Amino acid sequence: MQWKKVLAGVARAAAFLGLGIILGHSAIPKGANPPAPSASASQDLDPEILETIMGQLDASRIRENLRELSREPHLASSPRDEALVQLLLGRWRDPESGLDSAEASTYEVLLSFPSQEQPNHVAIVGPTGTILFSCRQSEENLTGEQGGPDVVPPYAAYAPPGTPQGLLVYANRGSEDDFKELQAQGIQLKGTIALTRYGGVGRGAKAVNAAKHEVAGVLVYTDPEDINDGRSLPNETFPHSWHLPPSGVERGSYYEYFGDPLTPYLPANPSSFRLDPATASGFPPIPIQPIGFEHAKVLLCNLQGPSAQADWQGALGCDYKLGPGFEPGGMFAGSQVNLSVHNRLELRNSSNVLGIIRGAVEPDRYVLYGNHRDSWVHGAVDPSSGTAVLLELSRVLGTLLKKGTWRPRRSIVFASWGAEEFGLIGSTEFTEEFFCKLQERAVAYINVDISVFANATLSARGTPPVQSVLFSAAKQIPAPGPGSLSIYDNWIRYFNRSQPLHLPSRSVGSLGAGSDYAPFIHFLGISSLDITYTYDQSKTSARTYPTYHTAFDTFGYVDTFVDPGFSSHRAVARTAGNVLLRLSDSLFLPLNVSDYSETLRSFLQDAQLYLEPLLEKHSISLGPLVTAVEKFEGAAVALGQRISALQKGTFDPLQVRMLNDQLMLLERAFLNPRAFPEERYYSHVLWAPHKSFMDTFPGLANACFRAIDTDPGSAAWDEVHRQLSIVVAALEGAAATLRPVADL
Amino acid sequence: MQWKKVLAGVARAAAFLGLGIILGHSAIPKGANPPAPSASASQDLDPEILETIMGQLDASRIRENLRELSREPHLASSPRDEALVQLLLGRWRDPESGLDSAEASTYEVLLSFPSQEQPNHVAIVGPTGTILFSCRQSEENLTGEQGGPDVVPPYAAYAPPGTPQGLLVYANRGSEDDFKELQAQGIQLKGTIALTRYGGVGRGAKAVNAAKHEVAGVLVYTDPEDINDGRSLPNETFPHSWHLPPSGVERGSYYEYFGDPLTPYLPANPSSFRLDPATASGFPPIPIQPIGFEHAKVLLCNLQGPSAQADWQGALGCDYKLGPGFEPGGMFAGSQVNLSVHNRLELRNSSNVLGIIRGAVEPDRYVLYGNHRDSWVHGAVDPSSGTAVLLELSRVLGTLLKKGTWRPRRSIVFASWGAEEFGLIGSTEFTEEFFCKLQERAVAYINVDISVFANATLSARGTPPVQSVLFSAAKQIPAPGPGSLSIYDNWIRYFNRSQPLHLPSRSVGSLGAGSDYAPFIHFLGISSLDITYTYDQSKTSARTYPTYHTAFDTFGYVDTFVDPGFSSHRAVARTAGNVLLRLSDSLFLPLNVSDYSETLRSFLQDAQLYLEPLLEKHSISLGPLVTAVEKFEGAAVALGQRISALQKGTFDPLQVRMLNDQLMLLERAFLNPRAFPEERYYSHVLWAPHKSFMDTFPGLANACFRAIDTDPGSAAWDEVHRQLSIVVAALEGAAATLRPVADL
C-alpha cells in the first residue's frame, strides 16, 4: 500500500465514516416473479448461500495463510514472489476448492533496487575527510527475521544514484512551504543535505521540492511523534510493543506516477515501446535515502542554527534546529553529511495472478476483487493480511463451486497484483492490456490491501455507487470483539466519537492512488471500493501502523500485536465477501446511483461557497453547473423509482440487464481522457488529484488555484472556464445515461 | 457533403466495389427456437415486414420530398433552414406516419458568411490603379433560381478578411509539391495571388500551403477538365446538360478540422467555454476566394511566364502559364490581381432534429440513421436527395408503427444534422453531448448524404463489420433501370469493369471525413456506413457531380439530369432501409467481425511489403503485429463458430445479448484517445488520416513517413515504435473482447 497517496484521499474527503441513505434496492428482492424466463436467467442472491459463506470464513485459516505468505521476504520479482505466484495458482487450481481457471500473466517492468555490491550509505564526514559516524545500512535483527540476503536494505526506490556531500539542514516534511520557510529564515540551501521526516507530502515530492532550492541530497526518517505517539526507546517498541523500533526504516517508491515508468498507457510486454529511462519523467531528481530515527536523532540533535518552529519539532528528545551544519562545540563541528546512493534501475518480470469463477447467467459481467502480492520485506500486514483474506474467501467460494452448490450470476475475477509497492504496476498494466474489455464489462473493483491496521473499526474508501452495498453488508455482520454491535453500528459509533460535530455528506472516503484501485477508478472509471479494519483515530496520531514498510512487519507482529485471534481479519473477509456476493449474485445490481447526487450536491455547495464569488468577478457563472447537478439528481431519483416499480411488477431478464447496464456504466460517464492531460491516467472528472483543499470538483478547483493570481482574461482563467464546461458536460452526459433509454 | 475529405478516403481504400465473404449469420435466422423466453424477447427480423417496407418506399414521394426540401436555399442557420427543422418535426410527429418522438436540439456554433454590404470581389487592376476587369460576384441566373437574397454568393467559408493585391501565379492544385515546383522553377511567390484549381488537396490546404511561401491571397476554381470532362461552353452545360455552367462556383468550408471551431470536444451550448476566434486553429491563414471557370479563364489565359507542365494543364482552351503577372503584350500587361474578402465569423444557432422509434425488446440499443439538412444554396443533390430518402423511409416505418403492425427490436434514431457544410458541426456536437451514452449503446451509424450522384451503381464506404449486412441488403433489391440484376450484382459488374485486374480485400471504401459519419467512427468508434448511388467511373473523370455546391444544384437539375423517375433514389432508400431493418430487428446482430480480419491482414501485408525492410534497419520488429493479427483472426473465427452453434441450438435472450454486445462493441476496441493527440477527434487507430499512400495502419505509416529522413535513435523513430505498440495493443485488446467472455 502506498500510504502517502492515501493520505491525500482521506484528507480530501470530509470524513470516512458515517451515515448514508440506504435504498431498498440493495436489499435482497423478494417476491419478484418474472413472467416466464428460464430459472437461471432470474437467478438472484441467495440469502442462505450468503449466510453459509459468512459462516465458513475461518479466522484460523486466515492466520495460517498469513503465516505462509509472510514466511519469507517477497519483494516484487524476487524468487519468493515467484514462489507465491505458484502458491496462488495452486490454491486457485485446487480440484476441491479452486476456481474455474487461474493464470499468471507476466509483464516486463522497470523496478529499482539498491546495489548489493555497493550498499547505500549515510555518514558524517569530518573536516579532514574522516568518517565520524555511519548510519546503519540495515535494521537491527531483533527477531532473527531482519537479517539474511532476502531482506532488502532500506532505500528509496527510483532515487537516482549519486554521492552528494554537504552541510546538513533540517527541512521538516520537505514540502514546498517548508523549503520556502528555510529560505525566508536565510538558511543557505544550495549544496546541502536536507533531513526530512515522512508525512505531509509524498515521498518523491520531498526530493522534487528540495531540488528546486539546489539541495544536493535528501534524507528522510520517521519521527516517533508521527508513528509511535512519541515512544522511541527500545523497550517501548517492537518486539515489546507494536511500536516502531529505533532502527526501523520505511522503504517505499519515490516514483511520482503509477504504472510501469517506461510504458505509460501501454501494457509492458517485452516488445512494447519503452521510454529511455534517462528521459522518463517522475523519478526523484536528486539522491534520497531513508534512515531510522535512531540515527536521524544523531544527525538532527547535533545541528546548529536557529531552533525550528513548534510544529517542526518532534519526539527525538532534543531541540530541532535548522542548520546548516553541526554545532561548533559538538563532536561533529565542521562536519558534512555524505550520502551515497547506488540504486539501479532494472527491467524485471513481474506477474499478476488472475483467477476466475465463470458467471452462470451473465458471465460477461465481471466483479473484480484484488490485492497486491509483493511486499517490501515479509509484509505480514502490507499486503499479506489482505492476501490471507483473499485466499480464504476464494477457498470458501471455490469449495461451494466445486461441490456444485453455487455458481454466481456474474463472473468473479480474483487478482493478485505484482509490483504494487513500486507504483501499482501490475494492476495498472492489467488495466492497460484489457482497457476495452474492462470498461465494457466490469461491475466494480473491490480492493483489500492491508486488511487490518488495528481492531477498532471498519474503514472504507470508494465511489458513491458502492457505498450502499457496503452498508448492507456491514449491517449483516457482527463486529469483532465483545459486544453485539454490527460492523456497521460499530463503525458509526467510532465515527461519531472521532467526528462528533460534523456529519459528512459522504460516508466512505474518496479514493486517492494509495493502492491498486487507482487505475480502475481513475483510468477506467470502474466503481471501486477499498476496505480495511483500522484503529481508533481519537487514540493515536500515527500516520499508519508503526512497522509499515519495515523489516519488523512480520507474522509475529500481526499475531501478537495487530490482530491476535484474527477476528478482525475475519470481519474484513466477511464484509468484503458479502459485498462481493451481493455484486456478483443480485439480480438487480446493488449500485445506488443516487449516492452520487449527494456527492455532486456537496461538491456544488463547496464551489458555491468558496469559488463563486471569485468566478463572478471573472464573469464565469456556476448556473450551468447548478442545472447539471439538478438534472443528475432528477434522473437518479427517477431511475430509482423505475427500479422499484420493476421490482414490484413482472419483468424479463433483458429489462433488468438494461437497467443494470445503466447502473454499471454510470461511473464511466464521468471519464474524460482529455480533461487533465498533464495528470497521467487521471480521467475521472470528479476524482482527479486536488491541488487545493476544497472538497469540490477537482478540475475546477485546481484551475482556480492556478488562475487566482493571474489577470482577468488570462489563459489560466480560460482554463477555469474550460474546466467548468468539462464538468458540466460530464454531469449532463451522466444524467443522460440515467434517463429512460429510449429518451433523447 | 465535404467532398475533399471523401477523396482521401476513397483513394486510400484499394477500391470501393467488389466481392466479399458473406457469412451466413447475416441472413435471416430461421428455425431458432429459444427454450421459453417471452415471445418479445426472441423477436427477430420479419421477412414479410421487410418486404412490405421495400414495397412501400415510393419514388414519387421521394421526388415530392425533394421538391419541397430544395424549393428555397437553406444555408445553415438561415430562416429556411429553420423552416425545414419545423417541416421535419411535423413529419416525425405526424399522428399517422410519425415516430414515437421527435425533438430539435440547438447549438450555438461559429459559422462564416460573406458580408452583404461589402461583397467579396476579385479584379484585375491596371498599373495606374484602374480596374480593368472584375470577376462576377454571383452565378449567372440561368433558371431564375440563381438570383435573390437567399442565394449566398460564392465564398470560402472561414477564409479571413483581407484585400491582398499582387501579381498572379498559377499553382495547379495548390499542394505542397505544387508550390515547391513553382519555387524550383524560380517563380517568385512572395506577395503574389495564386490561382489554383479544386482537387488534389483539401480546400483549406491550398491557403495553408500558399502561405508557407508568403503568397498573399489565393483564388480557386473548378477546371472543366476536372468536372465536365472538358465541356465548358454555355450550350454544353446546365440547363442544356448536367455539366457545370461557366459561372458556376463551388462553395465550401475551408476549416481544417470538423465540429464547432470554438468548442472542440465540448458541446456548443451557450454557456460552454469558447476559444478566442483570433487564436483558434484550423482557419485558412490568408484570404481565399472561389471563382467560376469563365473568369478563371480570363485570368489564367492571359498569364505570362513558362508553360505549366502537362499534368497542370486543363480544359480552358489555352496554354496554362505560371506567371507571375500577365503577358506584356496583352490587355492586362503590368496589372495585378486584387482580392477583396469580407467574410465575417458569426455565432449562430443551428439545430439538429432527432426522431426516435423506441425498440420493443432492446430499447437501449440504437441504430442511427442520419443526414445533414443544410445546403449551400438549394442543395437538391447535396444534401436534399438524402433527406428526401430519409423522410420517405421514416414515413413508411412510421406508418407501420402507428398502425401497430411493427415495432423494431432495437431503437431507431433518425437524425437531421445542422451545419454539416461548415464542418460536420451538428453531428459532431451531438457526439460530444452524448459521448458516453452513444459509445455504450450505438449499434451502428448509417449515413445517406447525397443519395444519388448518378444512376450507374451503388457505392459504399464503411467499416468492415457493416459490409456483410450491406451485401445482404443489396442482394435482395433489384437494381434500377432495365435488366434484372440485383443492386449487388450490378455493383459487382461495375466494379469488375473499373477494376478488372485487382480484387480488393475490402469491398466497401474506407471512411474519411467527408460527411457526418466522421465523428461517429473516428471519435466514438461506432461502426458506420455511408451509401450512395453513383456514376460509372470508367465513363467520366469528374471528381464529383458537376453542380456540386453551386446555385445550379436544383430540383430541376435532379429531376431532369440526375435521376429522372427517381428510381435510383428509391434504390438507395430500399438499400439503406433494408440495412436499417436488419440492424434494428435481427435477433443476432448482422455485424460480421471476421471482415475486420481481412482488413487487418491486408494492412499487415502492406506493412510487411513496404515498411518491414525499413523497420528492420531500426531494429523494430513487426513480429508482435503479426501475432496480434493472428490472435484477432483466431478469435473472430471462433466467435463466428460460437454464433453458428448457438443459432442451431437453444438459447435464451441474455446469451444472444452478450454475443451481440461483443459484436457491437468491437469497433470501440480500436479507439485510443491518446494515439494521435495532434489529430483532433481521430481516435480510431485503424482509420486515422494517412500522410502516406500506403494502405496500412495509419499511425505506423505516418510515423515512418516522418521518421524516414531522421537518424537512427531519433525521437521520430521512437514514435514509430510507439505507434507500432499502440496498434498491437489495440488489436490484442480487440481480440480479447472477441474471446469467450469468461476467458481471461
Side-chain angles (χ1 to χ4, degrees), chain A residues 390-467:
Chain A
L390 169 69
L391 285 175
E392 175 58 3
L393 184 55
S394 62
R395 179 193 70 82
V396 170
L397 298 184
T399 305
L400 291 173
L401 182 75
K402 296 294 184 186
K403 279 185 185 159
T405 312
W406 165 85
R407 177 174 289 286
R409 179 180 179 87
R410 303 180 183 87
S411 294
I412 292 175
V413 180
F414 287 108
S416 170
W417 310 117
E420 187 264 5
E421 293 294 5
F422 288 81
L424 323 180
I425 291 179
S427 54
T428 302
E429 298 310 305
F430 175 76
T431 59
E432 289 169 337
E433 180 164 9
F434 298 106
F435 182 87
C436 190
K437 191 162 156 168
L438 292 169
Q439 270 213 328
E440 289 166 10
R441 303 177 193 165
V443 170
Y445 174 68
I446 303 167
N447 195 68
V448 180
D449 182 341
I450 295 171
S451 64
V452 179
F453 285 90
N455 301 303
T457 177
L458 189 73
S459 166
R461 288 174 287 278
T463 56
V466 290
Q467 177 174 283

Side-chain angles (χ1 to χ4, degrees), chain B residues 289-632:
Chain B
Q289 173 71 19
I291 59 175
F293 65 77
E294 173 186 19
H295 286 170
K297 180 175 180 174
V298 175
L299 298 172
L300 189 45
C301 291
N302 283 293
L303 276 178
Q304 67 173 347
S307 287
Q309 60 197 69
D311 62 346
W312 289 35
Q313 296 292 330
L316 290 178
C318 65
D319 179 35
Y320 292 15
K321 294 179 177 165
L322 301 179
F326 295 106
E327 282 189 306
M331 59 198 296
F332 303 134
S335 297
Q336 296 189 326
V337 170
N338 179 281
L339 166 57
S340 297
V341 174
H342 302 288
N343 299 337
R344 285 196 295 235
L345 296 170
E346 293 182 31
L347 275 185
R348 291 281 190 98
N349 285 329
S350 173
S351 300
N352 295 331
V353 189
L354 295 162
I356 193 161
I357 301 178
R358 195 180 63 254
V361 184
E362 297 181 271
D364 67 340
R365 291 295 175 258
Y366 309 145
V367 183
L368 297 118
Y369 180 113
N371 178 30
H372 68 105
R373 186 185 57 255
D374 65 306
S375 60
W376 283 112
V377 192
H378 298 80
V381 176
D382 181 6
S384 305
S385 65
T387 310
V389 163
L390 170 68
L391 285 175
E392 174 60 1
L393 184 56
S394 62
R395 179 193 70 82
V396 169
L397 298 185
T399 305
L400 292 173
L401 183 76
K402 295 293 184 189
K403 279 184 183 159
T405 311
W406 165 85
R407 178 174 289 285
R409 180 179 176 86
R410 303 182 183 85
S411 294
I412 292 175
V413 180
F414 287 109
S416 170
W417 310 118
E420 186 265 6
E421 293 294 5
F422 288 81
L424 323 180
I425 292 179
S427 54
T428 303
E429 298 310 306
F430 175 75
T431 59
E432 289 169 337
E433 181 164 7
F434 297 107
F435 181 88
C436 190
K437 190 162 157 169
L438 292 169
Q439 270 213 329
E440 289 166 9
R441 302 179 192 164
V443 170
Y445 174 68
I446 303 166
N447 195 68
V448 180
D449 182 340
I450 296 171
S451 65
V452 179
F453 285 90
N455 301 304
T457 176
L458 189 73
S459 166
R461 287 175 288 278
T463 56
V466 291
Q467 177 174 281
S468 74
V469 64
L470 174 64
F471 287 177
S472 299
K475 286 176 177 177
Q476 217 178 16
I477 304 161
S484 57
L485 290 179
S486 69
I487 283 179
Y488 179 83
D489 288 332
N490 179 65
W491 187 14
I492 298 303
R493 195 166 63 102
Y494 273 92
F495 168 75
N496 285 340
R497 202 159 67 201
S498 60
Q499 304 275 344
L501 295 174
H502 178 62
L503 277 181
S505 62
R506 292 188 62 237
S507 306
V508 296
S510 50
L511 295 161
S515 188
D516 293 298
Y517 48 74
F520 289 93
I521 182 59
H522 299 303
F523 183 43
L524 294 185
I526 292 168
S527 294
S528 296
L529 178 66
D530 180 75
I531 66 176
T532 189
Y533 231 75
T534 194
Y535 35 75
D536 184 343
Q537 288 210 312
S538 68
K539 293 190 176 161
T540 175
S541 63
R543 43 180 285 279
T544 180
Y545 70 98
T547 63
Y548 173 70
H549 286 198
T550 74
F552 305 107
D553 178 358
T554 57
F555 176 75
Y557 182 79
V558 175
D559 200 38
T560 309
F561 298 112
V562 176
D563 188 22
F566 284 73
S567 59
S568 294
H569 281 78
R570 187 181 57 181
V572 170
R574 286 175 167 181
T575 308
N578 197 302
V579 169
L580 178 65
L581 256 281
R582 286 169 183 272
L583 288 168
S584 64
D585 276 22
S586 300
L587 175 60
F588 286 85
L589 275 180
L591 298 173
N592 181 14
V593 298
S594 277
D595 281 340
Y596 244 126
S597 299
E598 273 192 77
T599 305
L600 297 178
R601 178 56 64 179
S602 155
F603 279 13
L604 176 62
Q605 283 165 347
D606 266 29
Q608 289 172 319
L609 190 60
Y610 300 115
L611 301 178
E612 193 157 33
L614 186 65
L615 293 170
E616 280 176 352
K617 281 189 202 159
H618 294 270
S619 305
I620 299 171
S621 165
L622 285 181
L625 186 58
V626 173
T627 305
V629 170
E630 286 167 355
K631 281 189 192 171
F632 186 93

